[in-house]
Amino acid sequence: MADNVWPNYARSSKGVILDMCGVLYDSGEGDGVAIPGSVEAVKKLKASDLKLRFCTNETQASREKFVAKLQRLGFDISVAEVFSPAPAAVAVLRKRGLRPHLLVYDGLLPEFDSVDKSDPNCVVIGDAAQKFSYENLNEAFRVLIGLEKPLLFSLGKGKYYKETDGLKLDVGVYMKALEYACDVEAEVIGKPSAQFFQSVLDDMALQSHEVVMIGDDLVNDVGGAQQCGMKGVQVRTGKYRCHPSGAHFWGVCQRDDMRTVTRTSLRKFPLFTHLALGLRGNQNTNKCTSK
Amino acid sequence: MADNVWPNYARSSKGVILDMCGVLYDSGEGDGVAIPGSVEAVKKLKASDLKLRFCTNETQASREKFVAKLQRLGFDISVAEVFSPAPAAVAVLRKRGLRPHLLVYDGLLPEFDSVDKSDPNCVVIGDAAQKFSYENLNEAFRVLIGLEKPLLFSLGKGKYYKETDGLKLDVGVYMKALEYACDVEAEVIGKPSAQFFQSVLDDMALQSHEVVMIGDDLVNDVGGAQQCGMKGVQVRTGKYRCHPSGAHFWGVCQRDDMRTVTRTSLRKFPLFTHLALGLRGNQNTNKCTSK
């Protein structure tokens, strides 16, 4: 990665979008755990003149409950600053007059309270975790295959995420399963959908080239942001692993560790000094072994 | 489909390979049910001068138990005539010195009794049905992602099959899920693998152009057989549905129903008269609605 990517970031950046799981905290039993240094990093960003938003594909709880959990972990975060797929899905369903069969975590159901779910004409799946039983997936499949034109929405397309006890399969894996079973391509709501990122940029009142997205997922965070014209930074926390096709993501800050990033670049991009320092904790939990 | 495909079949055919689930019987509670006319069709084929083998991707029971079930349903079938993926998988594992993590139905485990399963260096999945829980799929994923080079074997790649109470997701769906999660391509053992079909042809001591494969699955039965140079016949029983890409399978006998096939072709291909008549029962259980 050429160093000359960084100075351009700093000169033009007016805002930061932060992924949450794997960047600010690792999920797991109870509330999970804050990643060392991340609470302070958010504080420093809020004290700066950068606009800040949080963008998550978290779909195991309503935004209210999710934000309350982050607050208990020590983060200064409000519901209005957090963008997640469920409210975006509800807007799409309403606009297109669709009645979903839901395969989501129980905690997310309240987000869909206002939506007509009778006689379903589409399927919506989120990160249902243990609810992804054979029976439940088969039920969603039967709804889809019974439709004249199967219509599948997936709240994200992540492959896996890290919990405190190890990696866990994410919704994208089950999206692929249903896509194959029914010969359909799902409509993804959430990262890395360009429409989803644009809604965050609209809320910030910034242009894409003025904003940096920071996440632990090369495809959904960094790649998705780049597709919209933002710059992407990948932190080596959370589920970070070497991505076999990482070379395709141009302009990604990928270094051996955050210590290297901050040491070599401090003078070049002062705006990111605080953030980079703040997010150093817990680095290399999934060490890159391929190079 | 041009009629002129059929006369060539009949003139050169010396053997028939029959798919089983959805062609001879529908699986379900207990032993499932024989498809009307299928027991008689097998009898007639055995009384003819055609060589006959059975080829299934059934992986919910050992071959012995599976054949015993078919015998209880009235079929004159022996274990030696039946080809299924598990014994083929065991041969591959032995040849390559591999130790599998198994995600298969309990009934299939005895097939792998002789295989070393300690410290697994690959994953083998079969049609595990209810055992495809989130926890079990996640466990298989963790084994794969923990390997330097993830190695996944799938006993078939079917999308779904029909049981007496409706369609059920098949192993291929979970194969796709793990492929996506781990950025790998599974090695398929069973239909439609050319190696698998060749082993059946070897056993029959026939050339591929001398054999007709009959099944309800356009991709795994008909398409797989065609890849090997056999002719394919699709019956409209079992899970039969219009295949969106059916047009790509050249030489498939696809008619509105078997009645049409037998009526128009009786004088042209007498060898298949008995079979076609015998398999007419239960047709159109999944009626084609697209044309």
Side-chain angles (χ1 to χ4, degrees), chain A residues 129-130 132 134-135 137-138 141-142 157 159-160 165-169 172-174 176-177 180-181 183 241 244, chain B residues 129-130 132 134-135 137-138 141-142 145 157 159-160 165-169 172-174 176-177 180-181 183 244:
Chain A
Q130 282 74 13
F132 276 132
Y134 181 75
E135 290 76 9
L137 198 67
N138 207 62
F141 158 68
R142 286 187 182 183
K157 56 183 250 187
K159 296 181 173 191
Y160 51 84
D165 63 345
L167 297 179
K168 297 280 175 81
L169 290 170
V173 170
Y174 290 89
K176 285 289 169 189
Y180 178 68
D183 282 315
R241 290 173 58 91
Chain B
Q130 282 73 14
F132 276 132
Y134 181 76
E135 292 75 10
L137 197 67
N138 206 63
F141 158 68
R142 286 187 183 184
I145 206 79
K157 56 183 250 186
K159 296 181 175 191
Y160 50 84
D165 64 344
L167 298 179
K168 297 279 175 81
L169 290 170
V173 170
Y174 290 89
K176 285 290 168 188
Y180 178 69
D183 283 315

Tab-separated table of all heavy atoms in Angstrom, chain A residues 129-130 132 134-135 137-138 141-142 157 159-160 165-169 172-174 176-177 180-181 183 241 244, chain B residues 129-130 132 134-135 137-138 141-142 145 157 159-160 165-169 172-174 176-177 180-181 183 244:
chain	number	residue	atom	x	y	z
A	129	ALA	N	-28.698	-16.117	13.884
A	129	ALA	CA	-27.889	-16.982	14.759
A	129	ALA	C	-28.593	-18.317	15.039
A	129	ALA	O	-28.945	-19.010	14.095
A	129	ALA	CB	-27.533	-16.240	16.048
A	130	GLN	N	-28.838	-18.629	16.292
A	130	GLN	CA	-29.404	-19.946	16.632
A	130	GLN	C	-30.767	-20.189	15.971
A	130	GLN	O	-31.201	-21.321	15.844
A	130	GLN	CB	-29.547	-20.106	18.154
A	130	GLN	CG	-28.256	-20.435	18.877
A	130	GLN	CD	-27.326	-19.242	18.982
A	130	GLN	OE1	-27.732	-18.112	18.727
A	130	GLN	NE2	-26.065	-19.479	19.323
A	132	PHE	N	-31.309	-19.856	12.971
A	132	PHE	CA	-31.047	-20.455	11.659
A	132	PHE	C	-31.031	-21.978	11.780
A	132	PHE	O	-30.045	-22.637	11.460
A	132	PHE	CB	-29.708	-19.965	11.087
A	132	PHE	CG	-29.784	-18.640	10.366
A	132	PHE	CD1	-28.871	-17.638	10.627
A	132	PHE	CD2	-30.753	-18.410	9.400
A	132	PHE	CE1	-28.917	-16.420	9.956
A	132	PHE	CE2	-30.811	-17.193	8.719
A	132	PHE	CZ	-29.900	-16.202	9.003
A	134	TYR	N	-32.501	-25.806	10.779
A	134	TYR	CA	-32.899	-26.409	9.506
A	134	TYR	C	-34.381	-26.133	9.243
A	134	TYR	O	-34.769	-25.766	8.129
A	134	TYR	CB	-32.639	-27.917	9.534
A	134	TYR	CG	-33.010	-28.600	8.247
A	134	TYR	CD1	-32.209	-28.474	7.115
A	134	TYR	CD2	-34.180	-29.353	8.133
A	134	TYR	CE1	-32.549	-29.081	5.917
A	134	TYR	CE2	-34.526	-29.971	6.947
A	134	TYR	CZ	-33.706	-29.834	5.842
A	134	TYR	OH	-34.051	-30.435	4.654
A	135	GLU	N	-35.184	-26.259	10.286
A	135	GLU	CA	-36.625	-26.082	10.115
A	135	GLU	C	-36.945	-24.645	9.681
A	135	GLU	O	-37.754	-24.425	8.776
A	135	GLU	CB	-37.376	-26.383	11.430
A	135	GLU	CG	-37.375	-27.847	11.836
A	135	GLU	CD	-36.051	-28.306	12.417
A	135	GLU	OE1	-35.157	-27.454	12.677
A	135	GLU	OE2	-35.867	-29.524	12.602
A	137	LEU	N	-34.947	-22.389	8.258
A	137	LEU	CA	-34.429	-22.075	6.924
A	137	LEU	C	-35.311	-22.736	5.860
A	137	LEU	O	-35.600	-22.155	4.813
A	137	LEU	CB	-32.974	-22.536	6.786
A	137	LEU	CG	-32.208	-21.885	5.622
A	137	LEU	CD1	-32.005	-20.394	5.847
A	137	LEU	CD2	-30.863	-22.563	5.390
A	138	ASN	N	-35.759	-23.953	6.171
A	138	ASN	CA	-36.631	-24.662	5.231
A	138	ASN	C	-37.969	-23.931	5.065
A	138	ASN	O	-38.526	-23.860	3.964
A	138	ASN	CB	-36.871	-26.094	5.717
A	138	ASN	CG	-37.182	-27.044	4.582
A	138	ASN	OD1	-36.345	-27.247	3.700
A	138	ASN	ND2	-38.395	-27.574	4.559
A	141	PHE	N	-37.395	-21.055	2.853
A	141	PHE	CA	-37.235	-21.589	1.495
A	141	PHE	C	-38.590	-21.900	0.864
A	141	PHE	O	-38.854	-21.563	-0.295
A	141	PHE	CB	-36.357	-22.842	1.555
A	141	PHE	CG	-36.523	-23.777	0.404
A	141	PHE	CD1	-36.098	-23.423	-0.878
A	141	PHE	CD2	-37.102	-25.029	0.580
A	141	PHE	CE1	-36.256	-24.300	-1.946
A	141	PHE	CE2	-37.261	-25.907	-0.481
A	141	PHE	CZ	-36.844	-25.532	-1.751
A	142	ARG	N	-39.460	-22.518	1.624
A	142	ARG	CA	-40.775	-22.891	1.078
A	142	ARG	C	-41.597	-21.657	0.726
A	142	ARG	O	-42.340	-21.670	-0.256
A	142	ARG	CB	-41.544	-23.766	2.069
A	142	ARG	CG	-41.005	-25.179	2.151
A	142	ARG	CD	-41.904	-26.053	3.006
A	142	ARG	NE	-41.391	-27.398	3.141
A	142	ARG	CZ	-42.014	-28.375	3.779
A	142	ARG	NH1	-43.187	-28.145	4.344
A	142	ARG	NH2	-41.480	-29.578	3.867
A	157	LYS	N	-24.562	-8.863	4.186
A	157	LYS	CA	-24.100	-10.079	3.510
A	157	LYS	C	-22.780	-10.559	4.099
A	157	LYS	O	-21.975	-11.205	3.433
A	157	LYS	CB	-23.987	-9.849	1.996
A	157	LYS	CG	-23.103	-8.681	1.590
A	157	LYS	CD	-23.126	-8.496	0.093
A	157	LYS	CE	-21.832	-8.862	-0.559
A	157	LYS	NZ	-21.761	-8.542	-1.973
A	159	LYS	N	-19.937	-12.582	6.108
A	159	LYS	CA	-19.653	-14.014	6.168
A	159	LYS	C	-19.604	-14.510	7.619
A	159	LYS	O	-20.120	-15.571	7.935
A	159	LYS	CB	-18.318	-14.297	5.479
A	159	LYS	CG	-18.353	-13.961	4.009
A	159	LYS	CD	-17.039	-14.261	3.328
A	159	LYS	CE	-17.204	-14.060	1.829
A	159	LYS	NZ	-16.070	-14.556	1.062
A	160	TYR	N	-18.918	-13.761	8.446
A	160	TYR	CA	-18.802	-14.161	9.847
A	160	TYR	C	-18.379	-12.952	10.661
A	160	TYR	O	-17.946	-11.939	10.124
A	160	TYR	CB	-17.803	-15.312	10.040
A	160	TYR	CG	-16.460	-15.080	9.398
A	160	TYR	CD1	-15.461	-14.353	10.051
A	160	TYR	CD2	-16.172	-15.572	8.130
A	160	TYR	CE1	-14.232	-14.139	9.470
A	160	TYR	CE2	-14.945	-15.360	7.530
A	160	TYR	CZ	-13.973	-14.639	8.209
A	160	TYR	OH	-12.759	-14.410	7.619
A	165	ASP	N	-16.112	-15.800	22.205
A	165	ASP	CA	-15.714	-17.208	22.212
A	165	ASP	C	-15.353	-17.728	20.818
A	165	ASP	O	-15.257	-18.940	20.614
A	165	ASP	CB	-16.797	-18.083	22.848
A	165	ASP	CG	-18.102	-18.056	22.051
A	165	ASP	OD1	-18.245	-17.155	21.206
A	165	ASP	OD2	-18.946	-18.929	22.257
A	166	GLY	N	-15.191	-16.852	19.859
A	166	GLY	CA	-14.748	-17.317	18.538
A	166	GLY	C	-15.579	-16.750	17.400
A	166	GLY	O	-16.473	-15.917	17.606
A	167	LEU	N	-15.267	-17.201	16.174
A	167	LEU	CA	-15.968	-16.708	14.988
A	167	LEU	C	-17.367	-17.331	14.880
A	167	LEU	O	-17.558	-18.498	15.215
A	167	LEU	CB	-15.166	-17.039	13.727
A	167	LEU	CG	-13.771	-16.398	13.614
A	167	LEU	CD1	-13.085	-16.828	12.317
A	167	LEU	CD2	-13.835	-14.879	13.696
A	168	LYS	N	-18.310	-16.540	14.388
A	168	LYS	CA	-19.683	-16.995	14.211
A	168	LYS	C	-20.157	-16.677	12.799
A	168	LYS	O	-19.884	-15.582	12.275
A	168	LYS	CB	-20.623	-16.274	15.210
A	168	LYS	CG	-20.334	-16.549	16.682
A	168	LYS	CD	-20.914	-17.867	17.122
A	168	LYS	CE	-20.543	-18.217	18.543
A	168	LYS	NZ	-21.372	-17.560	19.558
A	169	LEU	N	-20.886	-17.611	12.216
A	169	LEU	CA	-21.434	-17.402	10.873
A	169	LEU	C	-22.430	-16.243	10.871
A	169	LEU	O	-23.258	-16.125	11.769
A	169	LEU	CB	-22.133	-18.675	10.378
A	169	LEU	CG	-21.207	-19.845	10.054
A	169	LEU	CD1	-22.025	-21.117	9.826
A	169	LEU	CD2	-20.349	-19.542	8.837
A	172	GLY	N	-24.892	-13.463	5.687
A	172	GLY	CA	-24.563	-13.632	4.270
A	172	GLY	C	-24.463	-15.093	3.860
A	172	GLY	O	-24.778	-15.462	2.724
A	173	VAL	N	-24.043	-15.918	4.794
A	173	VAL	CA	-23.880	-17.349	4.544
A	173	VAL	C	-25.251	-17.983	4.261
A	173	VAL	O	-25.405	-18.805	3.350
A	173	VAL	CB	-23.202	-17.989	5.769
A	173	VAL	CG1	-23.220	-19.492	5.689
A	173	VAL	CG2	-21.782	-17.451	5.905
A	174	TYR	N	-26.241	-17.571	5.011
A	174	TYR	CA	-27.594	-18.102	4.819
A	174	TYR	C	-28.282	-17.456	3.622
A	174	TYR	O	-29.149	-18.058	2.989
A	174	TYR	CB	-28.399	-17.950	6.108
A	174	TYR	CG	-27.878	-18.891	7.173
A	174	TYR	CD1	-26.850	-18.508	8.038
A	174	TYR	CD2	-28.357	-20.189	7.258
A	174	TYR	CE1	-26.331	-19.389	8.973
A	174	TYR	CE2	-27.860	-21.080	8.192
A	174	TYR	CZ	-26.846	-20.682	9.045
A	174	TYR	OH	-26.327	-21.559	9.953
A	176	LYS	N	-26.638	-16.784	0.873
A	176	LYS	CA	-26.113	-17.589	-0.240
A	176	LYS	C	-26.843	-18.923	-0.333
A	176	LYS	O	-27.091	-19.437	-1.430
A	176	LYS	CB	-24.613	-17.832	-0.062
A	176	LYS	CG	-23.764	-16.627	-0.360
A	176	LYS	CD	-23.746	-16.313	-1.850
A	176	LYS	CE	-23.124	-14.953	-2.114
A	176	LYS	NZ	-23.274	-14.510	-3.510
A	177	ALA	N	-27.142	-19.510	0.815
A	177	ALA	CA	-27.850	-20.785	0.845
A	177	ALA	C	-29.211	-20.653	0.154
A	177	ALA	O	-29.561	-21.455	-0.720
A	177	ALA	CB	-28.019	-21.258	2.288
A	180	TYR	N	-29.021	-19.973	-3.672
A	180	TYR	CA	-28.742	-21.188	-4.433
A	180	TYR	C	-29.986	-22.072	-4.517
A	180	TYR	O	-30.326	-22.604	-5.586
A	180	TYR	CB	-27.596	-21.942	-3.760
A	180	TYR	CG	-27.219	-23.249	-4.414
A	180	TYR	CD1	-26.625	-23.284	-5.673
A	180	TYR	CD2	-27.437	-24.463	-3.774
A	180	TYR	CE1	-26.265	-24.492	-6.265
A	180	TYR	CE2	-27.075	-25.675	-4.358
A	180	TYR	CZ	-26.490	-25.680	-5.594
A	180	TYR	OH	-26.133	-26.871	-6.187
A	181	ALA	N	-30.681	-22.198	-3.391
A	181	ALA	CA	-31.854	-23.075	-3.360
A	181	ALA	C	-32.942	-22.605	-4.318
A	181	ALA	O	-33.629	-23.417	-4.925
A	181	ALA	CB	-32.412	-23.159	-1.937
A	183	ASP	N	-32.529	-20.139	-6.888
A	183	ASP	CA	-32.075	-19.473	-8.118
A	183	ASP	C	-32.448	-17.994	-8.135
A	183	ASP	O	-33.032	-17.496	-9.107
A	183	ASP	CB	-32.687	-20.149	-9.363
A	183	ASP	CG	-31.974	-21.445	-9.697
A	183	ASP	OD1	-30.741	-21.464	-9.672
A	183	ASP	OD2	-32.659	-22.441	-9.974
A	241	ARG	N	-8.916	-10.703	9.209
A	241	ARG	CA	-8.084	-11.770	8.657
A	241	ARG	C	-7.563	-11.274	7.330
A	241	ARG	O	-8.114	-10.363	6.734
A	241	ARG	CB	-8.899	-13.036	8.384
A	241	ARG	CG	-9.375	-13.759	9.609
A	241	ARG	CD	-10.302	-14.878	9.207
A	241	ARG	NE	-9.661	-15.810	8.296
A	241	ARG	CZ	-8.995	-16.897	8.657
A	241	ARG	NH1	-8.884	-17.182	9.935
A	241	ARG	NH2	-8.457	-17.692	7.772
A	244	PRO	N	-8.225	-12.952	0.870
A	244	PRO	CA	-7.535	-13.503	-0.291
A	244	PRO	C	-7.583	-12.586	-1.509
A	244	PRO	O	-6.685	-12.603	-2.331
A	244	PRO	CB	-8.299	-14.811	-0.569
A	244	PRO	CG	-9.575	-14.717	0.198
A	244	PRO	CD	-9.303	-13.823	1.344
B	129	ALA	N	-29.942	-32.773	7.200
B	129	ALA	CA	-31.309	-32.372	7.583
B	129	ALA	C	-31.309	-31.641	8.929
B	129	ALA	O	-30.606	-30.645	9.070
B	129	ALA	CB	-32.233	-33.587	7.591
B	130	GLN	N	-32.051	-32.133	9.902
B	130	GLN	CA	-32.178	-31.411	11.184
B	130	GLN	C	-30.837	-31.199	11.869
B	130	GLN	O	-30.710	-30.320	12.727
B	130	GLN	CB	-33.111	-32.163	12.146
B	130	GLN	CG	-34.604	-31.988	11.846
B	130	GLN	CD	-35.021	-32.759	10.615
B	130	GLN	OE1	-34.301	-33.621	10.126
B	130	GLN	NE2	-36.195	-32.449	10.089
B	132	PHE	N	-28.376	-29.914	10.527
B	132	PHE	CA	-27.851	-28.637	10.019
B	132	PHE	C	-28.318	-27.491	10.918
B	132	PHE	O	-28.965	-26.556	10.482
B	132	PHE	CB	-28.315	-28.384	8.589
B	132	PHE	CG	-27.473	-29.051	7.531
B	132	PHE	CD1	-28.056	-29.766	6.512
B	132	PHE	CD2	-26.084	-28.928	7.547
B	132	PHE	CE1	-27.280	-30.373	5.513
B	132	PHE	CE2	-25.300	-29.535	6.562
B	132	PHE	CZ	-25.899	-30.258	5.548
B	134	TYR	N	-27.550	-24.256	13.519
B	134	TYR	CA	-26.568	-23.167	13.474
B	134	TYR	C	-25.283	-23.600	14.155
B	134	TYR	O	-24.184	-23.361	13.644
B	134	TYR	CB	-27.142	-21.918	14.145
B	134	TYR	CG	-26.195	-20.748	14.117
B	134	TYR	CD1	-26.004	-20.018	12.951
B	134	TYR	CD2	-25.470	-20.366	15.254
B	134	TYR	CE1	-25.125	-18.949	12.897
B	134	TYR	CE2	-24.596	-19.302	15.221
B	134	TYR	CZ	-24.427	-18.592	14.043
B	134	TYR	OH	-23.550	-17.537	14.001
B	135	GLU	N	-25.419	-24.275	15.297
B	135	GLU	CA	-24.230	-24.675	16.052
B	135	GLU	C	-23.374	-25.651	15.238
B	135	GLU	O	-22.150	-25.519	15.186
B	135	GLU	CB	-24.628	-25.336	17.383
B	135	GLU	CG	-25.268	-24.407	18.401
B	135	GLU	CD	-26.713	-24.035	18.067
B	135	GLU	OE1	-27.300	-24.647	17.133
B	135	GLU	OE2	-27.243	-23.124	18.723
B	137	LEU	N	-23.322	-26.147	11.938
B	137	LEU	CA	-22.736	-25.538	10.745
B	137	LEU	C	-21.573	-24.633	11.149
B	137	LEU	O	-20.536	-24.587	10.485
B	137	LEU	CB	-23.795	-24.744	9.973
B	137	LEU	CG	-23.415	-24.413	8.530
B	137	LEU	CD1	-23.341	-25.682	7.673
B	137	LEU	CD2	-24.379	-23.420	7.905
B	138	ASN	N	-21.750	-23.942	12.282
B	138	ASN	CA	-20.678	-23.068	12.768
B	138	ASN	C	-19.440	-23.885	13.163
B	138	ASN	O	-18.301	-23.459	12.930
B	138	ASN	CB	-21.177	-22.257	13.965
B	138	ASN	CG	-20.427	-20.955	14.126
B	138	ASN	OD1	-20.483	-20.106	13.246
B	138	ASN	ND2	-19.682	-20.816	15.211
B	141	PHE	N	-17.691	-24.807	10.042
B	141	PHE	CA	-17.041	-23.583	9.551
B	141	PHE	C	-15.740	-23.313	10.295
B	141	PHE	O	-14.710	-23.003	9.695
B	141	PHE	CB	-18.011	-22.406	9.712
B	141	PHE	CG	-17.364	-21.058	9.763
B	141	PHE	CD1	-16.735	-20.526	8.634
B	141	PHE	CD2	-17.371	-20.308	10.934
B	141	PHE	CE1	-16.127	-19.278	8.681
B	141	PHE	CE2	-16.772	-19.065	10.994
B	141	PHE	CZ	-16.147	-18.548	9.867
B	142	ARG	N	-15.775	-23.462	11.611
B	142	ARG	CA	-14.562	-23.186	12.402
B	142	ARG	C	-13.433	-24.164	12.072
B	142	ARG	O	-12.263	-23.785	12.063
B	142	ARG	CB	-14.873	-23.222	13.898
B	142	ARG	CG	-15.641	-22.008	14.367
B	142	ARG	CD	-15.775	-22.018	15.879
B	142	ARG	NE	-16.571	-20.888	16.358
B	142	ARG	CZ	-16.784	-20.624	17.644
B	142	ARG	NH1	-16.276	-21.411	18.573
B	142	ARG	NH2	-17.509	-19.588	18.000
B	145	ILE	N	-12.148	-22.916	8.554
B	145	ILE	CA	-11.455	-21.623	8.559
B	145	ILE	C	-10.142	-21.724	9.347
B	145	ILE	O	-9.231	-20.914	9.175
B	145	ILE	CB	-12.377	-20.509	9.123
B	145	ILE	CG1	-11.978	-19.146	8.564
B	145	ILE	CG2	-12.414	-20.486	10.626
B	145	ILE	CD1	-12.436	-18.841	7.182
B	157	LYS	N	-24.759	-32.108	-4.486
B	157	LYS	CA	-24.944	-30.655	-4.462
B	157	LYS	C	-26.390	-30.291	-4.775
B	157	LYS	O	-26.690	-29.222	-5.299
B	157	LYS	CB	-23.980	-29.968	-5.432
B	157	LYS	CG	-24.065	-30.445	-6.868
B	157	LYS	CD	-23.020	-29.761	-7.732
B	157	LYS	CE	-23.614	-28.808	-8.701
B	157	LYS	NZ	-22.659	-28.237	-9.646
B	159	LYS	N	-30.231	-29.106	-4.486
B	159	LYS	CA	-30.822	-27.927	-3.851
B	159	LYS	C	-31.928	-28.319	-2.878
B	159	LYS	O	-32.020	-27.784	-1.787
B	159	LYS	CB	-31.386	-26.999	-4.921
B	159	LYS	CG	-30.318	-26.443	-5.835
B	159	LYS	CD	-30.880	-25.502	-6.866
B	159	LYS	CE	-29.712	-24.892	-7.649
B	159	LYS	NZ	-30.136	-23.775	-8.491
B	160	TYR	N	-32.787	-29.216	-3.312
B	160	TYR	CA	-33.884	-29.647	-2.445
B	160	TYR	C	-34.436	-30.962	-2.975
B	160	TYR	O	-34.143	-31.368	-4.102
B	160	TYR	CB	-35.001	-28.599	-2.367
B	160	TYR	CG	-35.480	-28.104	-3.701
B	160	TYR	CD1	-36.446	-28.795	-4.426
B	160	TYR	CD2	-34.963	-26.937	-4.253
B	160	TYR	CE1	-36.883	-28.354	-5.654
B	160	TYR	CE2	-35.397	-26.467	-5.495
B	160	TYR	CZ	-36.362	-27.181	-6.188
B	160	TYR	OH	-36.799	-26.746	-7.407
B	165	ASP	N	-44.310	-34.577	2.983
B	165	ASP	CA	-44.944	-33.364	3.507
B	165	ASP	C	-44.403	-32.087	2.862
B	165	ASP	O	-44.640	-30.994	3.362
B	165	ASP	CB	-44.801	-33.296	5.034
B	165	ASP	CG	-43.349	-33.190	5.461
B	165	ASP	OD1	-42.461	-33.467	4.624
B	165	ASP	OD2	-43.101	-32.825	6.622
B	166	GLY	N	-43.690	-32.212	1.768
B	166	GLY	CA	-43.249	-31.003	1.055
B	166	GLY	C	-41.774	-31.018	0.714
B	166	GLY	O	-41.070	-32.007	0.942
B	167	LEU	N	-41.297	-29.903	0.148
B	167	LEU	CA	-39.899	-29.806	-0.269
B	167	LEU	C	-38.985	-29.595	0.930
B	167	LEU	O	-39.343	-28.894	1.889
B	167	LEU	CB	-39.723	-28.653	-1.262
B	167	LEU	CG	-40.498	-28.765	-2.590
B	167	LEU	CD1	-40.245	-27.531	-3.464
B	167	LEU	CD2	-40.110	-30.026	-3.353
B	168	LYS	N	-37.792	-30.176	0.859
B	168	LYS	CA	-36.801	-30.039	1.931
B	168	LYS	C	-35.460	-29.626	1.342
B	168	LYS	O	-35.043	-30.138	0.292
B	168	LYS	CB	-36.610	-31.396	2.654
B	168	LYS	CG	-37.851	-31.925	3.353
B	168	LYS	CD	-38.045	-31.279	4.702
B	168	LYS	CE	-39.335	-31.695	5.379
B	168	LYS	NZ	-39.271	-32.990	6.045
B	169	LEU	N	-34.779	-28.735	2.043
B	169	LEU	CA	-33.457	-28.288	1.604
B	169	LEU	C	-32.472	-29.452	1.607
B	169	LEU	O	-32.438	-30.252	2.547
B	169	LEU	CB	-32.944	-27.179	2.527
B	169	LEU	CG	-33.668	-25.843	2.412
B	169	LEU	CD1	-33.231	-24.905	3.535
B	169	LEU	CD2	-33.418	-25.198	1.054
B	172	GLY	N	-26.642	-29.371	-0.955
B	172	GLY	CA	-25.991	-28.365	-1.794
B	172	GLY	C	-26.143	-26.955	-1.249
B	172	GLY	O	-25.263	-26.107	-1.417
B	173	VAL	N	-27.257	-26.732	-0.586
B	173	VAL	CA	-27.547	-25.415	-0.029
B	173	VAL	C	-26.536	-25.076	1.081
B	173	VAL	O	-26.033	-23.950	1.166
B	173	VAL	CB	-28.998	-25.415	0.502
B	173	VAL	CG1	-29.300	-24.175	1.309
B	173	VAL	CG2	-29.967	-25.576	-0.664
B	174	TYR	N	-26.220	-26.067	1.876
B	174	TYR	CA	-25.255	-25.863	2.963
B	174	TYR	C	-23.818	-25.880	2.446
B	174	TYR	O	-22.925	-25.263	3.027
B	174	TYR	CB	-25.498	-26.901	4.065
B	174	TYR	CG	-26.791	-26.619	4.793
B	174	TYR	CD1	-27.995	-27.151	4.346
B	174	TYR	CD2	-26.824	-25.749	5.876
B	174	TYR	CE1	-29.199	-26.847	4.974
B	174	TYR	CE2	-28.012	-25.441	6.510
B	174	TYR	CZ	-29.193	-25.991	6.057
B	174	TYR	OH	-30.387	-25.679	6.684
B	176	LYS	N	-23.034	-24.476	-0.394
B	176	LYS	CA	-22.873	-23.092	-0.861
B	176	LYS	C	-22.616	-22.151	0.314
B	176	LYS	O	-21.838	-21.208	0.217
B	176	LYS	CB	-24.117	-22.633	-1.628
B	176	LYS	CG	-24.232	-23.208	-3.009
B	176	LYS	CD	-23.174	-22.627	-3.952
B	176	LYS	CE	-23.116	-23.404	-5.237
B	176	LYS	NZ	-21.996	-23.023	-6.100
B	177	ALA	N	-23.294	-22.407	1.419
B	177	ALA	CA	-23.121	-21.579	2.613
B	177	ALA	C	-21.665	-21.625	3.086
B	177	ALA	O	-21.034	-20.593	3.322
B	177	ALA	CB	-24.063	-22.051	3.715
B	180	TYR	N	-19.118	-19.997	0.634
B	180	TYR	CA	-19.105	-18.531	0.742
B	180	TYR	C	-18.376	-18.087	2.010
B	180	TYR	O	-17.554	-17.164	1.979
B	180	TYR	CB	-20.545	-18.028	0.748
B	180	TYR	CG	-20.701	-16.531	0.895
B	180	TYR	CD1	-20.313	-15.666	-0.123
B	180	TYR	CD2	-21.265	-15.977	2.044
B	180	TYR	CE1	-20.475	-14.294	0.005
B	180	TYR	CE2	-21.435	-14.607	2.178
B	180	TYR	CZ	-21.031	-13.766	1.153
B	180	TYR	OH	-21.200	-12.405	1.281
B	181	ALA	N	-18.663	-18.777	3.117
B	181	ALA	CA	-18.057	-18.390	4.397
B	181	ALA	C	-16.534	-18.493	4.353
B	181	ALA	O	-15.829	-17.690	4.957
B	181	ALA	CB	-18.614	-19.248	5.527
B	183	ASP	N	-14.543	-18.919	1.397
B	183	ASP	CA	-13.890	-18.647	0.107
B	183	ASP	C	-13.244	-19.901	-0.473
B	183	ASP	O	-12.064	-19.894	-0.854
B	183	ASP	CB	-12.807	-17.555	0.252
B	183	ASP	CG	-13.401	-16.177	0.333
B	183	ASP	OD1	-14.298	-15.878	-0.464
B	183	ASP	OD2	-12.964	-15.397	1.204
B	244	PRO	N	-35.173	-22.999	-14.618
B	244	PRO	CA	-35.022	-21.739	-15.350
B	244	PRO	C	-33.969	-21.814	-16.451
B	244	PRO	O	-34.060	-21.124	-17.446
B	244	PRO	CB	-34.627	-20.730	-14.269
B	244	PRO	CG	-34.195	-21.540	-13.097
B	244	PRO	CD	-34.918	-22.844	-13.189
